[in-house]
Amino acid sequence: MAGPGAQIDDAVREEWRADLDPKIQVVRELARRYGAHLLAADGLFAELAAASDPEHWSADGVYPTPAGQAALAAAWLRLVA
């Protein structure tokens, strides 16, 4: 697992996406089918990481930091408010 300050190279990122993208599609389909709220956290974190230091939001690319958790909470409240 990557630690603080680690850079995730393109090959690792491609592996992650190959595993993750089909799962994201299944979750989106289930949310659509059952009319569930869907917080697209992958897109949220992609936007946050593009606008500032990605490690501020997730030090290892998987688990959110406290700032990432706060961003998720705020996004959830906007979604269900």
Side-chain angles (χ1 to χ4, degrees), residues 5-66:
Q7 296 295 318
I8 307 302
D9 67 27
D10 289 338
V12 171
R13 190 175 319 281
E14 286 178 26
E15 271 186 60
W16 285 1
R17 297 313 310 192
D19 179 62
L20 184 60
D21 288 346
K23 294 172 182 169
I24 290 172
Q25 294 309 314
V26 168
V27 169
R28 288 179 180 167
E29 171 59 23
L30 289 169
R32 185 194 62 72
R33 182 181 303 166
Y34 294 103
H37 289 294
L38 174 66
L39 175 55
D42 184 60
L44 171 68
F45 277 99
E47 289 177 21
L48 293 170
S52 63
D53 178 20
E55 290 183 352
H56 178 72
W57 309 106
S58 175
D60 63 1
V62 177
Y63 301 101
T65 61

